[in-house]
């Protein structure tokens, strides 16, 4: 199936997907925020079933972990590591990441510090993956250690799986 980019102009666009032969196919529909998906209609002899439940992982990180999609190239060519993690593992990966933030650093607004975002992330099911970066490098190591430990303790206390990645560095 050929991919194409549609304008975000509120217009109605329909696509016919023909696969050529009977069989099982996996189709992924990607769209930008604000786009609406109105569903799938199957032919009289076709069937449609829900995808199997997948392990959900919520990533809390900085700009390296923000969603990265660039329509200038092939659909996976410009995706960030979070999207690649989803493609390669089959996990249902959500990102709760914000540039300029860290365990201590808040990205300009206190709500973006990792522990503050953890509160929202724990409202949804799944494991929590922390991906720190360069934003905390100028902070006091003792303060950083306390914040990281608090994030990990809150995650474990909530009964969630905890995944901690080594920090990303430039």
């Amino acid at each position: 199936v050929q991919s194409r980019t549609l304008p975000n102009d509120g217009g109605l666009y329909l696509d016919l997907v023909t696969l050529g032969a009977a069989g099982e196919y996996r189709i992924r529909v990607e769209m930008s925020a604000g786009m609406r998906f109105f569903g799938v209609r199957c032919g009289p002899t076709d069937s449609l079933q829900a995808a199997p439940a997948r392990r959900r992982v919520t990533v809390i990180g900085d700009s390296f972990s923000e969603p990265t999609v660039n329509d200038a190239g092939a659909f996976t060519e410009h995706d960030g590591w979070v999207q690649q993690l989803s493609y390669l593992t089959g996990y249902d990966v959500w990102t709760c990441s914000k540039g300029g933030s860290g365990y201590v650093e808040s990205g300009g607004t206190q709500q973006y510090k990792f522990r503050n975002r953890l509160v929202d992330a724990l409202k949804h099911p799944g494991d929590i993956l922390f991906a720190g970066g360069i934003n905390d490098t100028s902070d006091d190591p003792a303060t950083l250690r306390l914040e990281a430990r608090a994030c990990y303790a809150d995650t474990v206390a909530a009964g969630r799986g905890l995944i901690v990645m080594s920090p990303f560095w430039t």
Side-chain angles (χ1 to χ4, degrees):
V1 174
Q2 182 179 7
S3 70
R4 67 184 182 126
T5 301
L6 301 172
N8 188 4
D9 60 5
L12 176 63
Y13 298 92
L14 302 175
D15 284 307
L16 173 64
V17 178
T18 57
L19 302 172
E24 288 189 22
Y25 294 90
R26 179 177 169 178
I27 299 173
R28 184 175 70 220
V29 177
E30 296 180 348
M31 59 191 67
S32 302
M35 299 293 286
R36 293 173 289 181
F37 179 69
F38 291 101
V40 175
R41 183 171 50 171
C42 292
T45 60
D46 297 331
S47 64
L48 183 69
Q49 55 187 300
R54 301 183 303 165
R55 178 180 182 180
R56 177 174 295 168
V57 176
T58 300
V59 176
I60 297 177
D62 60 10
S63 60
F64 291 114
S65 304
E66 282 185 302
T68 306
V69 176
N70 182 338
D71 291 330
F75 68 91
T76 59
E77 181 179 340
H78 299 285
D79 288 351
W81 76 266
V82 173
Q83 290 89 346
Q84 294 296 328
L85 177 66
S86 178
Y87 302 152
L88 295 172
T89 62
Y91 294 167
D92 179 15
V93 181
W94 291 29
T95 184
C96 188
S97 300
K98 178 67 177 162
S101 68
Y103 291 100
V104 176
E105 291 301 316
S106 62
T109 305
Q110 192 60 24
Q111 71 189 36
Y112 294 131
K113 189 169 87 169
F114 284 9
R115 192 156 36 136
N116 295 37
R117 279 185 275 139
L118 177 61
V119 172
D120 289 328
L122 289 174
K123 293 176 184 174
H124 306 284
D127 300 331
I128 305 294
L129 186 155
F130 288 96
I134 62 173
N135 299 315
D136 288 324
T137 58
S138 62
D139 293 302
D140 173 52
T143 303
L144 176 59
R145 187 177 318 109
L146 287 172
E147 279 298 312
R149 284 182 176 165
C151 286
Y152 307 156
D154 290 350
T155 302
V156 171
R160 301 303 179 77
L162 171 65
I163 304 166
V164 180
M165 291 183 58
S166 174
F168 289 100
W169 300 102
T170 54

